[in-house]
Amino acid sequence: MDLVPFDEYVRSLNRKRMSAGVLFYDREDRVLLVQPSYKPHWDVPGGAVDADEAPWTTAAREVREEIGLTRPIGRPLVIDYLRDDGRFPEGLAFIFDGGLISEPQVADLDLTDPEILFAGLYSLDEATVMLKPSLLARLTVALEAVHSGGLAPTPWPASNRAPAPPRARARCASSRKPCASPSPTSSAPHPHAGPPTSM
């Protein structure tokens, strides 16, 4: 068996694209979503990992650039495998723990990035018609990992779940107007952490 030179072998190794997002949430398990100006679906703060950049560095950079928030990024909650879909090659998607955030803190976010139109807190039920199904599933298990204190198992259970049926109020997701935030349903402490992290 002929062995290829080491440098040639290294050049032949597969390269995977990566993305890094950050999950912020409040004490009612509403999650922070942003409305991009360049695509129809909403998202969490985050983006593509640049060359020679660690995913956690990407997460902190994107949060700072997109919503003007500088705070330490927490542990990874989800590492998801993305198949080649014909448009993008296969890759990995990371979701990191951003910690607790309150509605007043969200209202005070400095949204100077032209890519972001609006940011708000939404329940996962409300997010059903705002997010791509793959991201909704990813956030579902990420929030479960927040409560369990671990990393979501792979393959994680939500990957085989059928998305919940659309709800009537989500037409706002396709408009330029922000969806109305839901009223808090409970004042019970969130099990994951103590008081909200200051901005």
Side-chain angles (χ1 to χ4, degrees):
M1 177 180 179
D2 295 331
L3 298 178
V4 299
F6 181 75
D7 289 346
E8 184 178 337
Y9 165 73
V10 171
R11 287 193 298 269
S12 72
L13 291 174
N14 185 40
R15 302 290 191 268
K16 286 182 170 62
R17 64 185 174 101
M18 292 188 292
S19 67
V22 181
L23 179 68
F24 295 97
Y25 44 87
D26 70 0
R27 294 182 183 276
E28 284 75 47
D29 279 351
R30 294 181 299 171
V31 298
L32 178 66
L33 301 178
V34 295
Q35 183 183 21
S37 60
Y38 56 90
K39 61 182 180 181
H41 293 99
W42 291 51
D43 212 333
V44 292
V49 177
D50 288 343
D52 300 317
E53 185 177 48
W56 46 90
T57 303
T58 301
R61 173 178 58 78
E62 290 285 350
V63 165
R64 184 174 61 253
E65 293 175 356
E66 291 188 348
I67 60 175
L69 189 60
T70 301
R71 65 162 67 172
I73 298 299
R75 63 189 175 88
L77 300 171
V78 173
I79 303 173
D80 191 13
Y81 172 70
L82 309 176
R83 297 185 181 278
D84 186 329
D85 64 1
R87 295 174 59 245
F88 293 100
E90 65 171 351
L92 297 172
F94 293 80
I95 298 290
F96 292 92
D97 192 342
L100 286 164
I101 193 167
S102 67
E103 196 153 5
Q105 287 175 322
V106 173
D108 287 341
L109 291 176
D110 186 17
L111 303 181
T112 59
D113 189 336
E115 293 183 352
I116 303 300
L117 299 174
F118 183 78
L121 289 166
Y122 300 95
S123 70
L124 290 181
D125 281 345
E126 291 173 310
T128 298
V129 291
M130 302 166 68
L131 303 175
K132 294 177 66 175
S134 57
L135 180 57
L136 178 64
R138 203 173 298 141
L139 296 186
T140 298
V141 294
L143 201 54
E144 291 172 357
V146 167
H147 288 279
S148 70
L151 179 67
T154 53
W156 27 272
S159 60
N160 295 319
R161 293 177 187 165
R167 301 206 172 190
R169 57 164 290 168
R171 286 183 60 86
C172 61
S174 62
S175 73
R176 292 295 175 117
K177 297 180 180 179
C179 294
S181 296
S183 300
T185 57
S186 170
S187 59
H190 195 283
H192 174 62
T197 305
S198 60
M199 292 181 64

